[in-house]
Amino acid sequence: FSPDGALVVTAALDHTAKIWRAETGQCLRTLRGHRHQALSAAFSPDGALVATGSRDHTARIWNAETGQCLRILLGHLGRVESAAFSPDGVLMATSANDVARIWNAETGEFLRTLKGHTFRVSSATFSLDSALVVTAAQDSTAKIWSAETGECLRTLHGHLYGVNSAAFSPDGLSVVTASWDCTAKIWNAETGECLRTLRDEGGVTSAAF
């Protein structure tokens, strides 16, 4: 959703993303430019921009009002699994292969690489204060990083199989992860301690506060 809840953005296998009016279901514009399947799409905090990630190894930043592609973020060596803005709108995080990257959201300038996972990074998202990034990876771990320096602050060990998503709680004190091991886990973001495990009957693909 857009921040005001009026719009929805979708990413599709036809290489496009689309912006829709939530109330009526009307397609307002189609974002064309990716050369392979679009895997993720998200609005900026002010709703003016959309970020997309694609199997074409790029992320793109679009004008949500006009549908114009403003910037192409190059440098990943594999499909871009996720692309997200920081809550303050200053930064973007993308994930591909075994790394995440931090970018200047206004200029598209590459700033730093978050390197430490040993297998595909499924997602990268910011804390509400934009100071931290949490990544989920198929190496069965999640990691918490400094967005400013790229330093890995903590590694969350405990899942038995790949971790599909990770997200901070609104107060930034906790992280929730979802894994193919049929569990979601809630962690203390400061210490990395697993606080509780939520067990399901199948692999858990996403979890959020």
Side-chain angles (χ1 to χ4, degrees), residues 31-32 44 48-52 59-73 85 105-108:
L31 311 182
R32 302 183 189 276
S44 61
L49 303 174
V50 167
T52 57
R60 291 177 182 242
I61 300 173
W62 312 77
N63 182 308
E65 179 64 31
T66 66
Q68 178 187 3
C69 180
L70 302 177
R71 283 169 284 288
I72 301 175
L73 309 185
F85 290 96
E106 181 178 356
T107 66

Side-chain angles (χ1 to χ4, degrees), residues 129-182:
D129 64 3
S130 302
L132 302 175
V133 174
V134 62
T135 53
Q138 296 304 307
D139 61 7
S140 79
T141 72
K143 291 179 181 287
I144 297 174
W145 313 76
S146 165
E148 182 178 1
T149 67
E151 178 188 1
C152 180
L153 304 176
R154 279 166 285 294
T155 298
L156 309 183
H157 293 283
H159 283 295
L160 301 178
Y161 299 116
V163 183
N164 297 314
S165 74
F168 283 99
S169 60
D171 61 11
L173 299 179
S174 302
V175 166
V176 63
T177 55
S179 170
W180 292 120
D181 67 8
C182 304

Side-chain angles (χ1 to χ4, degrees), residues 25-158:
Q26 176 189 6
C27 181
L28 301 177
R29 54 204 133 270
T30 299
L31 311 182
R32 302 183 189 276
H34 281 299
R35 297 183 177 182
H36 211 316
Q37 298 162 354
L39 301 177
S40 68
F43 282 100
S44 61
D46 62 4
L49 303 174
V50 167
T52 57
S54 169
R55 282 183 178 269
D56 66 9
H57 301 189
T58 73
R60 291 177 182 242
I61 300 173
W62 312 77
N63 182 308
E65 179 64 31
T66 66
Q68 178 187 3
C69 180
L70 302 177
R71 283 169 284 288
I72 301 175
L73 309 185
L74 301 171
H76 280 300
L77 301 179
R79 66 189 192 192
V80 179
E81 302 277 351
S82 68
F85 290 96
S86 59
D88 62 10
V90 174
L91 301 174
M92 263 186 62
T94 58
S95 64
N97 290 351
D98 59 356
V99 302
R101 287 181 171 231
I102 304 296
W103 313 78
N104 181 305
E106 181 178 356
T107 66
E109 177 190 4
F110 165 69
L111 300 176
R112 60 195 61 90
T113 298
L114 310 183
K115 186 171 179 59
H117 286 292
T118 58
F119 203 31
R120 180 168 55 87
V121 179
S122 309
S123 70
T125 57
F126 288 90
S127 58
L128 190 60
D129 64 3
S130 302
L132 302 175
V133 174
V134 62
T135 53
Q138 296 304 307
D139 61 7
S140 79
T141 72
K143 291 179 181 287
I144 297 174
W145 313 76
S146 165
E148 182 178 1
T149 67
E151 178 188 1
C152 180
L153 304 176
R154 279 166 285 294
T155 298
L156 309 183
H157 293 283

